[in-house]
Amino acid sequence: MMTATAMNTANKFDIENLNLFYNNGANHALKDITLPIPSKKVTALIGPSGCGKSTLLRCLNRMNDLIEGVKINGRLEMDRENVYGNIDIANLRIKVGMVFQKPNPFPMSIYDNVAYGLRAQGVTDKKKLDEVVERSLRGAALWDEVKDRLKSHAFGLSGGQQQRLCIARTIAMEPEVILMDEPTSALDPIATKKIEDLMEELKKNYTIVIVTHSMQQARRISDRTAFFLMGELVEHDETANLFANPRDDRTRGYVNGDFG
Ligand SMILES: Nc1ncnc2c1ncn2[C@@H]1O[C@H](COP(=O)(O)OP(=O)(O)OP(=O)(O)O)[C@@H](O)[C@H]1O
């Protein structure tokens, strides 16, 4: 197995000794996390409720900045640049897009949802917008289902379609990374399968980090898995290895379903 250092050039993020505290230090939610996140792969974050998966995900695009009383120390680099340094945060959040548990399309048409970010950046050229909307909807495997009703309201789509629309909206901004916080937990098995198939395609172009409660999902879709427990990163490895040969008894217990 390659070490984190040997893999360094292929890492999108390098996280080292990262600590995060909520409530001005009262809740130590991430404890000394060291985790490389490789480029153009799917990394799954797993572990029982409250272990810090979403907190770590939100560190990657500084969404935790929006929460009062959060303190962070340690190193978190993206492409060797300090994410917590003096950087343009709006630009970071374009480069590191996010898809949430509950599909959250904006209250407007399918087309306008996908064009929203570009328009906010001042793009008005219809040809350019049409082009990006089509490319993004194709990229999110939704184009064929909606191409004849782009002006329809997004809320008329099924939950699974809405989630793919949110992915299209994210892709439209040409991110480098897509963070997904339990993106299929509100979806039925067929819609879930479509999103999982889509991730297989997306990872050719993007680095994906996904929080999932489903170990089956982590096994199906991820290249690497990191197992968290009470704010600690217990172990991380190639997904197949982590499930077949966990090094730590706590990981073994979790993946065997002994607790959850
Ligand atoms: N906004 C917040 N303010 C204060 N504490 C928080 C906040 N968000 C999370 N926490 C705390 O941080 C710890 C980790 O929570 P987090 O949501 O990251 O875990 P998780 O593994 O994603 O859980 P789940 O699987 O239930 O979503 C928990 O103790 C939680 O109560």
Side-chain angles (χ1 to χ4, degrees), residues 110-135:
I110 294 167
Y111 184 102
D112 290 346
N113 260 277
V114 185
Y116 187 90
L118 282 184
R119 284 184 173 140
Q121 287 181 333
V123 178
T124 53
D125 178 28
K126 184 163 179 317
K127 190 158 165 278
K128 166 85 180 160
L129 290 171
D130 285 353
E131 216 176 86
V132 172
V133 167
E134 178 170 344
R135 182 163 25 91

Side-chain angles (χ1 to χ4, degrees), residues 20 22-23 27-30 46-58 64 67-68 70 101 181-182 211-213 228 231:
L20 183 145
Y22 286 111
N23 305 328
N27 180 359
H28 193 176
L30 292 177
I46 65 166
S49 198
C51 67
K53 309 178 292 292
S54 302
T55 299
L56 181 66
L57 196 72
R58 290 194 301 261
N64 291 317
I67 302 169
E68 191 82 23
V70 167
Q101 179 172 8
D181 199 348
E182 298 182 49
V211 165
T212 179
H213 268 125
F228 291 80

Side-chain angles (χ1 to χ4, degrees), residues 37 40 55 59 61 65 79 94 115 172 189 197 231:
I37 296 184
K40 298 194 179 168
T55 299
C59 286
N61 65 351
D65 286 16
D79 296 326
I94 289 172
D197 291 346

Side-chain angles (χ1 to χ4, degrees), residues 15-200:
I15 304 170
E16 233 178 76
N17 304 113
L18 187 78
N19 288 280
L20 183 145
F21 304 83
Y22 286 111
N23 305 328
N24 294 307
N27 180 359
H28 193 176
L30 292 177
K31 300 172 183 162
D32 231 18
I33 305 299
T34 295
L35 176 68
I37 296 184
S39 285
K40 298 194 179 168
K41 301 255 186 240
V42 178
T43 297
L45 311 181
I46 65 166
S49 198
C51 67
K53 309 178 292 292
S54 302
T55 299
L56 181 66
L57 196 72
R58 290 194 301 261
C59 286
L60 302 177
N61 65 351
R62 290 187 58 167
M63 290 288 274
N64 291 317
D65 286 16
L66 308 171
I67 302 169
E68 191 82 23
V70 167
K71 303 257 179 287
I72 295 177
N73 64 54
R75 194 165 75 88
L76 199 170
E77 293 181 355
M78 177 175 167
D79 296 326
R80 257 91 26 228
E81 187 184 14
N82 181 7
V83 170
Y84 284 85
N86 187 16
I87 60 160
D88 179 343
I89 295 178
N91 189 40
L92 172 72
R93 296 203 183 121
I94 289 172
K95 286 203 277 188
V96 186
M98 192 155 187
V99 175
F100 297 88
Q101 179 172 8
K102 206 164 155 279
N104 61 347
F106 300 144
M108 53 185 75
S109 73
I110 294 167
Y111 184 102
D112 290 346
N113 260 277
V114 185
Y116 187 90
L118 282 184
R119 284 184 173 140
Q121 287 181 333
V123 178
T124 53
D125 178 28
K126 184 163 179 317
K127 190 158 165 278
K128 166 85 180 160
L129 290 171
D130 285 353
E131 216 176 86
V132 172
V133 167
E134 178 170 344
R135 182 163 25 91
S136 306
L137 287 168
R138 282 190 189 282
L142 188 58
W143 175 251
D144 289 340
E145 290 162 59
V146 301
K147 62 176 188 284
D148 300 323
R149 50 170 168 148
L150 294 175
K151 295 292 171 191
S152 304
H153 201 284
F155 292 174
L157 297 173
S158 71
Q161 289 172 325
Q162 289 188 13
Q163 195 61 303
R164 280 179 283 141
L165 179 64
C166 294
I167 293 171
R169 190 176 64 194
T170 303
I171 293 175
M173 303 307 288
E174 300 188 10
E176 296 168 13
V177 180
I178 304 178
L179 307 179
M180 298 186 167
D181 199 348
E182 298 182 49
T184 62
S185 63
L187 305 181
D188 65 35
I190 292 169
T192 296
K193 168 92 169 56
K194 284 198 176 151
I195 302 264
E196 291 185 357
D197 291 346
L198 173 58
M199 288 171 69
E200 210 32 59

Side-chain angles (χ1 to χ4, degrees), residues 212-229:
T212 179
H213 268 125
S214 158
M215 281 183 278
Q216 289 80 1
Q217 180 166 65
R219 287 176 98 136
R220 282 193 299 265
I221 59 168
S222 71
D223 301 292
R224 294 191 66 84
T225 296
F227 170 60
F228 291 80
L229 194 60

